[in-house]
Amino acid sequence: MSSDPSERQSVSRRNTLKLLGAGVAGAAGLATAGTTRAAAGFERVASETGKSVRAVAATAEGAYAAAANGDVLARRAGDDPPTFERVLDAGLTAQSKSFYGADATADGRNLWLCGEAGVVGHYDVVDEQFTDHSKPNGLGSTVRDVAAMGPAGDERVALVTGGGVFLTGRKRDGGMEWGTAVSPNGGNTIHALEMVDASRGWFADATGSVYRTRDGGSTWTEVGPDGFGSPLYDVTVRADGGVTAVGSAGHVFEYDGSSWAAARPGGAAVRGVDSADGVVVACGEGGVVYRRTDDGWTAAGLDASKTLRDLTLDAREAYPDTVAGNAGYVYERGSFDAYPDTLTVETTSESRVDYAFGNDTRVRKGPNADATESVEETCGCAGHAFEVTGSVGGSADADDFRYGGAVRGFSVTDGSAADLVTSVSGTEVSVERLADRSWSAVDAGVSVTLFALAETAAGPYAVGGAGRVVARTDDGWGVVDAHGPSGAGNNLYGAAVTDEGDHLWAAGGSGELGLYDVAAGDSTDYTAPAGETSTWTDVAVGGAAGDESVYLVNGSGEVLVGRYGADGPTWSAPVKPGNGSTIRGVTTHDSGVYVCDDNATVFRSTDGGATWSTLGIDGAGVSLYDVAVVAEDDITVSGGSGRLFRYNGAVWTEQKLGGNARYSLARDDDRGLIGGGSGEVFEREIGGWTGTYTGPSKNLQGTLVTSDPSVPKIVCGGDGTILEQSFVDPLY
């Protein structure tokens, strides 16, 4: 028992869950994998990486694994066979650098990761997006381990490095406030960190020493074990407040607050250790899992050819225990029985509304769902493992369900859905995103490349090669203008509308520029504004029709600003926000005007385009093609090589969506759409960006998504390609 009661805690830093239990057995020495696999209780599961898994951590949605080359994997509900799926495949700012450490916040929502070249960041397991905080305070060395304390959004984070540095930070307004780095052990590599809370913590280092802090890391005290001198690779704080450290040559050390006890259950290095409610489990080289019992340590072999590097236990009996290591090998013990997500259906109406939906994995009623709601297991027809029916209205104004997997085919079977509200895991979402959807190609009436889309008051328009302008009506798509505003047949690359959608501006090659009054059905040619005849690569518009501002960008890195009034447009002198690199995208927002260019730079103007400031993106390294702004702290930019960049008001985070360029990007609140090379379409779903269509190998150049779910999402591209997303929306 610990001599210091203040050191006691109930769980370890990895939010350890279910006990390994009586299933781990074996002789005092090592047993063969063939005779001990069942006894150990672990079975190998598939993983989408062949890289070495360096760390595993338990989150609110199950175990996550962090690996070499920037791979991060998640165990998903409903996978058959069970699989750890790759959710990140690049180390973000540091790109394909290896991850070494992982830990989750107290609520399990944010998974913090760290690794080579100062890579640090957190992955929100609910929203399924990463936020990059790499190189904290300029720290560019390998970060060996991370500890997260407190709930997501208000967490404290502690880091240790290969150079013996300890650093803490606090989450603030989307960014991190980092403290002053200290070097508590003379610069020796620190392999593992365990923080009990913001004040108390322990680390283990390459000299075989364990250090303790009681003041948040300002000062550290070496507590032993004496005379070891070889590396210690991991450390855990047990339920009794004591400490277990593991290291080279099979050594295990246990500390009770006053003295150390040594054991050597095997001869090979022990790499990882975790504990829960008095049970301590370790793993290491030779594919061995060790368990501490009242009679000492026992060992069970899983695969003698693979080093096991880390493990996490699950005390809530919601997710399996997980151990992982080299070559992407992952093992599980126990079942994936959790229901990580919630669906709430509610209405403010007194009238009854009946609804139905399917689920592809598992679903159960929550506390607000009563006997009138039905959950039935099916044969799996149409991809649904469960069918749910229910009703809201009157006194029963809300139902809730917990589920794993995904909700499919949400529909209203009786009553009016006008007041229906659906929320997933606490976030209100359009029921469109819960309905069954599919993409289909439609006839645009042209064979030229269509480069841009815009939603006008008269419906969607697209512009493209040879000056073609096409519009969508109740009868389908048709040509509005066959030769462009000037009649010269110049390509049109950009399209934008006024606030109400009454005026459509289209711009393109040789200074082509035109205004289409969609209400009046006529157009006016304003080609070569201010005498400029360069190719306009994009156009943006802000304001109401008749009093709008027009922003044109070109291949010379210029922005030309015009103000339209009763006498037509007047133009200011062109301005170069950057070094003259081609500007590919421009958009307007209440917070300013934004452009992105081939030099991987995003600029913002808050004075109507007169002056510009650089917003990012350091280290992007690719051409940027389009920018979408939902808010000052919610900006998305698409680029080459499948890169997507997100700004949260404090930091930029990179995401990789395949390997093809992402040419066009559209956002509206939580809805999003991306088109790119090789006919690929990505949508922003409830949990991040997901590929939802791959068609003929055409470059998809334009995207359209609006706040009105009755308007289908649309993508356009090469050879007159137009794709529309069809669905049965229960609200319309």
Side-chain angles (χ1 to χ4, degrees):
M1 299 293 291
S2 170
S3 62
D4 182 355
S6 69
E7 298 292 343
R8 296 179 184 272
Q9 64 164 10
S10 60
V11 294
S12 75
R13 70 177 170 91
R14 296 184 179 89
N15 298 323
T16 52
L17 309 174
K18 184 174 64 224
L19 306 185
L20 193 59
V24 178
L30 301 185
T32 66
T35 60
T36 62
R37 187 182 303 277
F42 283 96
E43 294 289 341
R44 187 183 170 194
V45 298
S47 74
E48 293 184 349
T49 186
K51 308 299 183 183
S52 175
V53 177
R54 304 280 178 73
V56 291
T59 76
E61 295 194 356
Y64 276 67
N69 290 86
D71 282 358
V72 176
L73 304 105
R75 171 70 157 87
R76 298 304 197 195
D79 283 345
D80 188 16
T83 304
F84 273 74
E85 300 176 8
R86 186 184 291 109
V87 295
L88 291 174
D89 61 1
L92 307 147
T93 293
Q95 299 197 2
S96 298
K97 302 299 182 182
S98 295
F99 289 117
Y100 281 91
D103 193 24
T105 51
D107 54 6
R109 175 158 183 164
N110 280 350
L111 174 73
W112 279 84
L113 301 158
C114 65
E116 288 183 289
V119 172
V120 176
H122 67 78
Y123 183 82
D124 186 320
V125 302
V126 176
D127 289 343
E128 297 184 6
Q129 61 184 18
F130 188 94
T131 301
D132 198 348
H133 300 288
S134 293
K135 298 187 178 179
N137 276 3
L139 186 66
S141 59
T142 295
V143 183
R144 289 280 178 173
D145 205 4
V146 57
M149 300 148 279
D154 190 36
E155 63 259 50
R156 296 177 184 270
V157 178
L159 310 170
V160 291
T161 77
V165 171
F166 174 85
L167 178 66
T168 61
R170 182 73 179 269
K171 193 77 174 290
R172 299 287 190 190
D173 299 324
M176 291 292 295
E177 292 182 356
W178 297 101
T180 301
V182 298
S183 298
N185 71 341
N188 296 301
T189 296
I190 302 174
H191 286 293
L193 173 68
E194 171 103 347
M195 295 298 293
V196 177
D197 52 37
S199 297
R200 297 172 296 157
W202 305 74
F203 72 70
D205 72 10
T207 69
S209 297
V210 175
Y211 287 73
R212 177 181 64 195
T213 184
R214 293 175 175 172
D215 57 11
S218 295
T219 60
W220 292 85
T221 301
E222 184 179 357
V223 295
D226 295 333
F228 180 49
S230 296
L232 292 173
Y233 296 114
D234 203 3
V235 61
T236 185
V237 179
R238 305 187 303 267
D240 64 3
V243 173
T244 299
V246 299
S248 59
H251 287 86
V252 176
F253 298 93
E254 296 178 288
Y255 183 62
D256 64 4
S258 59
S259 63
W260 290 89
R264 196 177 182 188
V270 185
R271 293 284 180 172
V273 63
D274 201 4
S275 61
D277 294 342
V279 173
V280 185
V281 182
C283 64
E285 294 179 6
V288 184
V289 173
Y290 305 91
R291 176 175 179 255
R292 178 70 164 90
T293 70
D294 291 339
D295 297 325
W297 289 88
T298 61
L302 299 182
D303 189 321
S305 67
K306 298 293 183 290
T307 294
L308 301 177
R309 294 187 174 274
D310 201 12
L311 76 159
T312 186
L313 310 179
D314 187 278
R316 296 178 298 181
E317 298 187 355
Y319 303 105
D321 306 316
T322 303
V323 59
N326 286 2
Y329 273 49
V330 183
Y331 298 86
E332 286 186 345
R333 180 186 184 276
S335 57
F336 200 112
D337 297 326
Y339 298 73
D341 297 306
T342 60
L343 171 66
T344 303
V345 183
E346 56 187 329
T347 178
T348 58
S349 172
E350 292 294 319
S351 300
R352 174 171 166 165
V353 179
D354 295 340
Y355 61 86
F357 65 88
N359 176 267
D360 60 8
T361 303
R362 56 175 62 90
V363 63
R364 69 184 182 192
K365 292 192 285 188
N368 290 324
D370 56 30
T372 61
E373 280 65 62
S374 170
V375 176
E376 295 185 1
E377 190 167 3
T378 72
C379 63
C381 302
H384 296 171
F386 291 87
E387 295 287 349
V388 179
T389 59
S391 65
V392 289
S395 59
D397 60 353
D399 293 335
D400 62 335
F401 302 88
R402 296 198 66 85
Y403 67 93
V407 169
R408 308 289 188 192
F410 191 97
S411 63
V412 172
T413 56
D414 190 35
S416 172
D419 297 319
L420 202 64
V421 177
T422 53
S423 300
V424 172
S425 297
T427 300
E428 184 178 329
V429 299
S430 166
V431 290
E432 171 227 350
R433 294 171 68 180
L434 304 178
D436 287 334
R437 296 167 292 161
S438 61
W439 287 96
S440 58
V442 299
D443 184 9
V446 297
S447 59
V448 298
T449 296
L450 296 173
F451 290 103
L453 284 156
E455 173 67 6
T456 77
Y461 274 59
V463 303
R468 300 289 196 274
V469 180
V470 297
R472 183 179 188 268
T473 67
D474 292 340
D475 298 324
W477 289 85
V479 176
V480 173
D481 190 341
H483 303 291
S486 71
N490 294 313
N491 290 346
L492 296 173
Y493 295 111
V497 296
T498 51
D499 290 351
E500 306 87 352
D502 293 332
H503 284 181
L504 169 72
W505 288 81
S510 300
E512 192 82 10
L513 179 66
L515 166 62
Y516 292 84
D517 187 326
V518 299
D522 57 27
S523 64
T524 305
D525 178 26
Y526 292 112
T527 296
E532 294 279 341
T533 58
S534 61
T535 293
W536 304 121
T537 52
D538 201 8
V539 59
V541 178
D547 190 30
E548 64 258 47
S549 296
V550 181
Y551 303 89
L552 298 163
V553 295
N554 64 19
S556 299
E558 295 176 324
V559 181
L560 181 65
V561 181
R563 186 63 180 264
Y564 182 81
D567 297 326
T570 57
W571 302 96
S572 304
V575 175
K576 286 187 177 182
N579 65 359
S581 296
T582 296
I583 297 177
R584 301 284 182 180
V586 57
T587 192
T588 60
H589 183 262
D590 291 344
S591 61
V593 184
Y594 298 77
V595 301
C596 61
D597 70 11
D598 276 354
N599 195 38
T601 308
V602 179
F603 300 95
R604 174 171 60 191
S605 174
T606 58
D607 56 10
T611 60
W612 296 84
S613 59
T614 301
L615 199 59
I617 306 170
D618 292 340
V622 294
S623 294
L624 304 178
Y625 291 108
D626 207 359
V627 54
V629 181
V630 173
E632 281 188 279
D633 58 356
D634 189 359
I635 300 171
T636 310
V637 180
S638 60
S641 301
R643 304 296 177 177
L644 188 70
F645 302 90
R646 177 176 53 87
Y647 184 64
N648 70 351
V651 296
W652 286 95
T653 296
E654 176 186 331
Q655 183 176 356
K656 188 177 181 184
L657 302 179
N660 296 304
R662 303 298 162 212
Y663 295 114
S664 182
L665 166 68
R667 287 284 311 277
D668 190 279
D669 294 332
D670 63 341
R671 306 166 76 234
L673 190 61
I674 292 172
S678 298
E680 294 175 324
V681 176
F682 290 80
E683 291 183 73
R684 190 174 190 271
E685 300 291 337
I686 295 168
W689 291 92
T690 304
T692 59
Y693 178 86
T694 300
S697 186
K698 309 291 185 184
N699 287 338
L700 300 178
Q701 304 279 3
T703 50
L704 176 64
V705 56
T706 75
S707 58
D708 182 355
S710 66
V711 177
K713 294 176 183 175
I714 304 172
V715 181
C716 68
D719 294 337
T721 296
I722 288 187
L723 304 172
E724 294 185 356
Q725 188 183 77
S726 60
F727 59 92
V728 178
D729 191 327
L731 290 183
Y732 293 90

